[in-house]
Amino acid sequence: MTIKNTLKAALFGLTALGISAPAFADQLADIKAAGKIVTATDMHYSPFDMIIDGTYQGITKDIFDEVSKELGVEPLYQDIPWTAELPGLEVKKFDIIIAPVTITPERLERYAFSLPIADATVGLIRSANDTETKAPEDIKGKAVGVQQGTAQAAQLQMFGDKIGGITMKEYGTTDEAYADLATGRLQAVAGSLPNLAYLVKARSETFALLEPTTFGEPKYFAWAMRKDADSASFVEAINTALLKMTDDGRMKAIQEKWLGVNPVLPREVPQD
């Protein structure tokens, strides 16, 4: 008897005894039945997530609004500290993390990822009036800020070790690191290229990009979901919506609105 026929026979036997067969959970079906997707993000990570005049705005919101329309549900946006997001996802406090999460081999083992939504290559900024910190190697021996628990922090630490050591200071939000850079408590801040470029464009009198700005291997931002059988159809639906947005021009319009450029992003989830 095949496995398929054995399963059918077992289910028939349960029915004959008046016992209901176990229901198979499906996250996408549950979301559609509820009519909403519960999300988590850190709304202090411009230009992806930010509060402007009391309203949540940014690249992430614009993209996820469209994805939600494709799935036929309403998004529920929650502002949650980054350090609480991955643990919260694992215990099912929300359906998806839409705060930009850098794809890394270690995270790929534990979480399912959407297709990339942006470039996440790590770079550096300095104070606009700092004439000594010009290139990435110039941060040797200096105080450099970065957001706590991020892939950028890990890359900064490795780069610092490579060039002879830095004093790395970790912050709960990038805004806190930028504030200390502006007041001279730091000599540089590390972060993803889109975040840094947006900040310098908005506050060129205060901050400047190092040249070259980036170091390390190219990385990408994506959204994180649970990696289990229940979530497989949900992950597929998210990626199908993102590909549709790429092909019909909506992704391009959102990227250009916030960044002024339209980076070419992989159509598959990078595995390194």
Side-chain angles (χ1 to χ4, degrees), residues 58-147:
I59 296 174
T60 299
K61 183 178 185 300
D62 283 1
I63 296 176
F64 204 76
D65 278 350
E66 295 300 317
V67 168
S68 298
K69 290 177 186 176
E70 291 296 324
L71 271 61
V73 295
E74 292 293 324
L76 175 59
Y77 295 116
Q78 298 185 111
D79 186 9
I80 295 175
W82 162 245
T83 52
E85 291 181 14
L86 291 172
L89 178 69
E90 293 185 12
V91 297
K92 301 184 178 182
K93 287 189 175 180
F94 27 80
D95 298 310
I96 182 172
I97 296 173
I98 58 170
V101 183
T102 305
I103 301 171
T104 67
E106 296 77 17
R107 288 174 177 166
L108 283 166
E109 291 180 2
R110 193 161 187 169
Y111 307 103
F113 279 90
S114 72
L115 294 173
I117 62 164
D119 186 341
T121 305
V122 66
L124 292 157
I125 58 170
R126 58 175 172 83
S127 170
N129 58 17
D130 180 354
T131 59
E132 297 182 357
T133 311
K134 297 179 180 180
E137 290 74 16
D138 294 338
I139 66 172
K140 177 181 177 180
K142 297 180 178 179
V144 184
V146 68
Q147 187 174 17

Side-chain angles (χ1 to χ4, degrees), residues 93-249:
K93 287 189 175 180
F94 27 80
D95 298 310
I96 182 172
I97 296 173
I98 58 170
V101 183
T102 305
I103 301 171
T104 67
E106 296 77 17
R107 288 174 177 166
L108 283 166
E109 291 180 2
R110 193 161 187 169
Y111 307 103
F113 279 90
S114 72
L115 294 173
I117 62 164
D119 186 341
T121 305
V122 66
L124 292 157
I125 58 170
R126 58 175 172 83
S127 170
N129 58 17
D130 180 354
T131 59
E132 297 182 357
T133 311
K134 297 179 180 180
E137 290 74 16
D138 294 338
I139 66 172
K140 177 181 177 180
K142 297 180 178 179
V144 184
V146 68
Q147 187 174 17
Q148 181 181 15
T150 61
Q152 286 72 33
Q155 292 175 76
L156 175 63
Q157 185 66 69
M158 287 190 292
F159 181 70
D161 293 343
K162 179 181 177 182
I163 63 175
I166 61 171
T167 300
M168 189 173 84
K169 296 186 177 181
E170 297 186 78
Y171 294 81
T173 70
T174 53
D175 289 343
E176 294 170 324
Y178 300 151
D180 274 3
L181 179 60
T183 58
R185 294 187 181 92
L186 299 172
Q187 282 72 60
V189 169
S192 72
L193 182 58
N195 302 83
L196 301 181
Y198 179 84
L199 175 69
V200 170
K201 179 181 177 182
R203 301 177 62 185
S204 59
E205 75 288 351
T206 305
F207 303 111
L209 296 168
L210 273 64
E211 295 293 341
T213 304
T214 61
F215 60 88
E217 297 296 323
K219 297 292 182 181
Y220 295 96
F221 278 139
W223 299 329
M225 292 159 279
R226 289 184 288 278
K227 190 174 184 178
D228 52 38
D230 297 350
S231 301
S233 60
F234 177 50
V235 175
E236 182 180 2
I238 292 289
N239 287 335
T240 297
L242 288 172
L243 282 176
K244 183 176 180 180
M245 289 176 62
T246 297
D247 293 339
D248 66 21

